[in-house]
Amino acid sequence: MENPYKRKKDPEASKQLILDTAAEIGATADWHQVTFQAIADKTGLSKGGIIHHFRNKEELLEELVRQSLTELTDWIVEEKRTLGNDIAPIAFLRFVIKKSSDLHYRRTMKVILQAALINEHYKKMWHEWFTEHIAGGSIEDLDVNSQIIMLVADGLWFADNLNLYNISEKSKAQIVNKLMNLN
């Protein structure tokens, strides 16, 4: 990937390029293969330029997860607005299905999944985000239909991010229609 950005001209664009490249490498291999050298090789930035933005790989991962959860929140809010209701599990289900073909989304979600599986801090970040933005508090407080919708969305999310199996768009639409009738 040729670096179209110059640090002095647009440091935020360089920072975003680093984050996007880290997500790309982390999603296609695994997070352990993300190194500053690998990012430098792919972007054309110097390792020093990368270190200017992120002192270490942990700081890079923290920013990537934080940014991804912010984007995810924005997407869920937009999906709830589009639906015209405030039922977060339905918005999450529709979002998971809608975004399953979005490469940026798939890459960042794979990195978040890896981070949550290997580090308790990121697992806690995901849990807190999910509890606040999807469950709206305790999952136990959700009605049974919302819990079912949330679990189906989770299953599709994990299947997508672990590349377990593919479900056709037609089948996904049927799932959404069936679950929408629960509420």
Side-chain angles (χ1 to χ4, degrees):
M1 176 184 305
E2 184 65 30
N3 176 15
Y5 311 105
K6 299 295 180 204
R7 187 181 73 75
K8 291 180 182 176
K9 290 184 180 178
D10 195 348
E12 286 305 310
S14 292
K15 184 176 181 178
Q16 190 59 50
L17 178 64
I18 295 165
L19 290 166
D20 291 344
T21 303
E24 179 183 349
I25 296 167
T28 55
D30 74 34
W31 185 253
H32 297 302
Q33 293 181 344
V34 175
T35 64
F36 284 178
Q37 186 61 56
I39 294 168
D41 291 346
K42 202 157 188 67
T43 62
L45 292 170
S46 68
K47 282 175 64 176
I50 296 168
I51 291 168
H52 172 76
H53 294 286
F54 302 100
R55 290 177 297 186
N56 54 48
K57 195 168 131 177
E58 190 64 30
E59 191 175 282
L60 172 63
L61 180 58
E62 179 80 20
E63 177 63 18
L64 185 60
V65 171
R66 188 201 59 71
Q67 184 185 74
S68 297
L69 292 177
T70 299
E71 288 176 3
L72 195 52
T73 300
D74 293 344
W75 289 328
I76 294 295
V77 167
E78 177 61 24
E79 192 63 33
K80 287 188 326 191
R81 188 194 62 72
T82 300
L83 282 170
N85 70 41
D86 202 32
I87 303 173
I90 291 174
F92 184 57
L93 172 65
R94 290 173 52 96
F95 164 78
V96 166
I97 290 171
K98 184 173 161 182
K99 287 294 188 177
S100 66
S101 61
D102 180 316
L103 188 59
H104 172 73
Y105 159 77
R106 295 285 299 267
R107 286 176 175 165
T108 56
M109 292 301 105
K110 283 182 182 182
V111 170
I112 285 177
L113 179 57
Q114 288 180 56
L117 290 173
I118 63 171
N119 187 307
E120 191 64 32
H121 169 69
Y122 300 111
K123 180 180 176 183
K124 184 179 178 188
M125 281 178 74
W126 175 257
H127 175 76
E128 288 172 355
W129 177 86
F130 195 87
T131 300
E132 179 181 347
H133 296 284
I134 304 303
S138 170
I139 293 170
E140 291 293 319
D141 292 339
L142 290 173
D143 64 85
V144 172
N145 290 340
S146 291
Q147 287 180 5
I148 291 168
I149 292 166
M150 185 185 69
L151 290 169
V152 170
D154 281 349
L156 290 171
W157 187 85
F158 278 107
D160 279 348
N161 289 302
L162 293 173
N163 296 318
L164 296 175
Y165 48 81
N166 290 319
I167 297 176
S168 71
E169 294 302 314
K170 180 181 177 185
S171 291
K172 288 177 182 178
Q174 290 172 333
I175 290 168
V176 169
N177 289 336
K178 183 73 169 178
L179 293 174
M180 292 289 285
N181 290 328
L182 288 178
N183 279 325

